[in-house]
Amino acid sequence: MDSRIRGAALALLLAATAALTGCSSSPAEPPGPSAPAPSAPAPSATAADSRAYLKVDGTKRDYLLHRPGKSAEAGHARKPLVIAFHGRTHRAEDMRKLSALNKAADRHGLLVAYPQGLNNGWGDGKAPTARRPDPDTDVRFTEALVKKLIRSEHADPKRVYVVGFSNGGSMALRMAAQRPRLVTAVATVAGQLPTKAAAVRPTGPVRALLIYGDKDPVRPITGMPNPAPPTGGSEPPTPTMSARASAEAFAAAGGAGAPATEKEKGYSRTVWAAPPADAEVQLLVVHGGGHSWPGSAWSPSTSFGPTSKALDATGTMVGFLTGTRS
């Protein structure tokens, strides 16, 4: 009799211990007092950006993908897509940090893909180099990435935007110039169209926004028709036309009229208005701005010059791309 009592008591003790430590085998069992349940996330909270892969031309490429917060989504509705190209020698994570695009994406319900360039750079022009014998592979990679995200993430094929910084800005301009049926609009910081043997010219109307610092010490606003030879075995920079000539090329392709310039606090805005609203071109010249992302809290290098706070480049870009002008 005593053994039966001791056995029953032991069983009760084990059951109580399991309940208190949250070790019940039932998945619906809430944590016990010693392990309080975490508070539910806010409706707009998102999971950490995911890294995904895509094989193009026999090479495994990767990218970071940011999905907008749930509050910005509408079930399985098509979502606008932003492809954000990093600068040369940088990584996808650097572009995410520099632009702070994720916050704006959550507000506007945007998918954002941060692709990683081969050798941390992009083939922003047509001319091959020893380190980049096939510069067109990045165009094909971007096309494949957009098509994949349209299929797998419900991206809207009618709202595909490309943005970028420096070498990545030039890559974004190249995509818009060569693939106007794929790209709805483009917005860049320190991006210019390539020239000479690497030349790319717009082949159709695309809304374009170019932001440039007039004191850029790395990629002068007047262009780099004859860039200095690279040092230390680095990839040679692509010859480029000026920021204004780049904007004018897009304006001409879209049939825009004469430009009009307005002075804002800390920068000037030149607008080429086009009969169809989807062909407007803008050039924002930031006074005293360096090779930097205006409004950013971070710069990749101290040698890039000052970062202007007169303009929120990310907010301006997203407003231009989405038509909200916020």
Side-chain angles (χ1 to χ4, degrees):
M1 184 69 177
D2 291 344
S3 61
R4 290 197 299 270
I5 294 174
R6 284 197 299 270
L10 179 59
L12 289 172
L13 178 61
L14 289 174
T17 302
L20 289 173
T21 57
C23 295
S24 169
S25 60
S26 171
E29 184 76 24
S34 60
S39 58
S44 61
T46 59
D49 295 355
S50 59
R51 186 174 299 278
Y53 300 88
L54 179 63
K55 195 170 187 178
V56 178
D57 295 341
T59 301
K60 188 177 181 181
R61 307 289 298 264
D62 65 291
Y63 60 96
L64 294 176
L65 180 64
H66 178 79
R67 298 176 177 88
K70 291 182 180 180
S71 63
E73 296 180 29
H76 294 290
R78 293 286 181 181
K79 296 177 283 295
L81 170 64
V82 178
I83 306 293
F85 298 101
H86 61 77
R88 180 164 289 155
T89 75
H90 303 162
R91 296 191 58 80
E93 292 86 348
D94 296 325
M95 183 59 183
R96 179 178 61 184
K97 182 177 181 181
L98 178 70
S99 65
L101 260 171
N102 284 5
K103 292 182 179 179
D106 288 343
R107 289 195 300 271
H108 293 270
L110 308 174
L111 280 168
V112 184
Y114 302 91
Q116 180 60 48
L118 294 173
N119 299 316
N120 295 347
W122 300 102
D124 55 3
K126 286 186 175 180
T129 66
R131 293 189 62 183
R132 201 172 295 273
D134 182 6
D136 293 336
T137 190
D138 286 329
V139 175
R140 294 190 293 272
F141 167 51
T142 305
E143 285 183 302
L145 176 58
V146 169
K147 291 176 182 178
K148 176 184 177 181
L149 296 176
I150 288 172
R151 291 193 309 269
S152 64
E153 298 292 337
H154 302 283
D156 188 345
K158 296 181 180 180
R159 293 182 292 173
V160 175
Y161 311 124
V162 289
V163 306
F165 172 67
S166 192
N167 166 235
S170 293
M171 182 66 207
L173 292 176
R174 181 184 183 183
M175 286 302 305
Q178 292 187 253
R179 298 293 187 271
R181 293 185 179 180
L182 178 73
V183 174
T184 308
V186 57
T188 67
V189 172
Q192 297 165 322
L193 283 172
T195 189
K196 294 192 172 180
V200 171
R201 295 292 180 271
T203 55
V206 176
R207 284 191 296 121
L209 170 66
L210 287 75
I211 300 174
Y212 226 99
D214 63 4
K215 301 299 182 183
D216 190 324
V218 179
R219 295 166 61 98
I221 192 172
T222 53
M224 300 187 300
N226 300 293
T231 58
S234 60
E235 186 172 0
T238 304
T240 63
M241 61 177 65
S242 70
R244 187 177 181 93
S246 300
E248 288 173 338
F250 278 97
T261 301
E262 298 179 355
K263 292 184 177 180
E264 309 281 353
K265 186 177 181 180
Y267 65 96
S268 63
R269 183 193 304 269
T270 300
V271 179
W272 288 263
D278 58 359
E280 179 182 301
V281 177
Q282 293 191 21
L283 172 64
L284 274 59
V285 177
V286 181
H287 305 317
H291 191 66
S292 52
W293 190 279
S296 178
W298 179 73
S299 175
S301 172
T302 56
S303 65
F304 282 5
T307 299
S308 173
K309 301 301 181 184
L311 177 70
D312 171 14
T314 298
T316 302
M317 279 184 175
V318 171
F320 178 84
L321 296 173
T322 61
T324 58
R325 309 293 180 179
S326 61

